[in-house]
């Protein structure tokens, strides 16, 4: 089983691939797409869309998982994240790969055992779960790995891990 996790955002969109087999999870590639605020929104979304398409074509994941939007206090940020999520959803659909959204609290509960875990806790737990030498390079990569881990552990495909 292979899951591409996405932490959506227009300024920074994190990604991480998790492989599951023989009862364990291990990390694949990870990184971030960064788009400058002065760039037109359509160009920023195209960067994310094409990046997801390239990852799907190269790594052929069984599923794409992304974090649901957290509205919080700033509606503009929620709208921006929602637009990035849309680019991811369309890229996955165009490639014929199932895409599932997970609530941030569920992701944190799965990875850390606490639905209100801080970013640093998520980074440390991702490092432990995936047996990484170091914590992921950014909180966006850690969140992308976390959503992929959450999906892998809660998916019907998780039978592969058992």
């Amino acid at each position: 089983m292979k899951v591409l996790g996405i932490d959506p955002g227009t300024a920074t969109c994190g990604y991480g691939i998790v492989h599951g087999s023989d009862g364990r999870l291990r990390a694949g590639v990870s990184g971030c797409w960064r788009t400058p605020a002065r760039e037109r929104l359509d160009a920023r979304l195209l960067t994310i869309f094409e990046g997801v398409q390239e990852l799907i074509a190269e790594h052929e994941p069984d599923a794409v998982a992304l974090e649901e939007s957290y509205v919080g206090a700033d509606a503009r940020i929620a709208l921006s994240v929602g637009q990035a999520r849309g680019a991811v959803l369309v890229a996955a659909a165009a490639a014929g790969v199932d895409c599932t959204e997970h609530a941030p609290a569920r992701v944190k509960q799965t990875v850390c055992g606490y639905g209100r875990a801080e970013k640093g806790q998520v980074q440390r737990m991702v490092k432990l779960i995936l047996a990484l030498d170091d914590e992921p390079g950014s909180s966006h990569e850690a969140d992308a790995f976390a959503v992929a881990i959450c999906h892998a552990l809660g998916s019907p495909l998780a039978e592969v891990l058992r």
Side-chain angles (χ1 to χ4, degrees):
M1 169 186 39
K2 194 183 301 182
V3 179
L4 168 58
I6 303 285
D7 176 38
T10 50
T12 306
C13 184
Y15 62 88
I17 294 180
V18 170
H19 305 264
S21 63
D22 301 325
R24 56 179 277 232
L25 294 172
R26 61 192 199 312
V29 300
S30 68
C32 294
W33 298 291
R34 297 182 194 282
T35 61
R38 67 185 176 283
E39 191 171 45
R40 288 188 354 246
L41 178 60
D42 58 337
R44 297 172 83 185
L45 295 174
L46 183 61
T47 297
I48 295 164
F49 176 81
E50 290 176 341
V52 172
Q53 280 190 317
E54 289 172 18
L55 285 173
I56 290 172
E58 183 176 346
H59 299 282
E60 299 179 343
D62 300 300
V64 174
L66 72 153
E67 208 168 63
E68 287 178 353
S69 290
Y70 170 74
V71 176
D74 192 338
R76 287 181 308 167
I77 292 173
L79 178 61
S80 175
V81 170
Q83 290 168 324
R85 287 174 53 245
V88 172
L89 290 166
V90 172
V97 179
D98 286 338
C99 190
T100 304
E101 299 176 83
H102 298 281
R106 178 170 183 240
V107 172
K108 291 175 181 179
Q109 178 69 40
T110 301
V111 173
C112 299
Y114 177 59
R116 295 179 144 198
E118 299 290 327
K119 290 214 175 271
Q121 291 172 287
V122 173
Q123 286 179 293
R124 287 188 295 278
M125 287 306 297
V126 164
K127 177 186 175 205
L128 290 172
I129 292 168
L130 298 177
L132 300 171
D133 292 334
D134 298 304
E135 290 179 7
S138 73
S139 63
H140 301 287
E141 286 177 63
D143 288 351
F145 273 137
V147 76
I149 291 166
C150 177
H151 186 80
L153 294 177
S155 165
L157 295 172
E159 290 300 318
V160 174
L161 291 173
R162 294 185 181 106

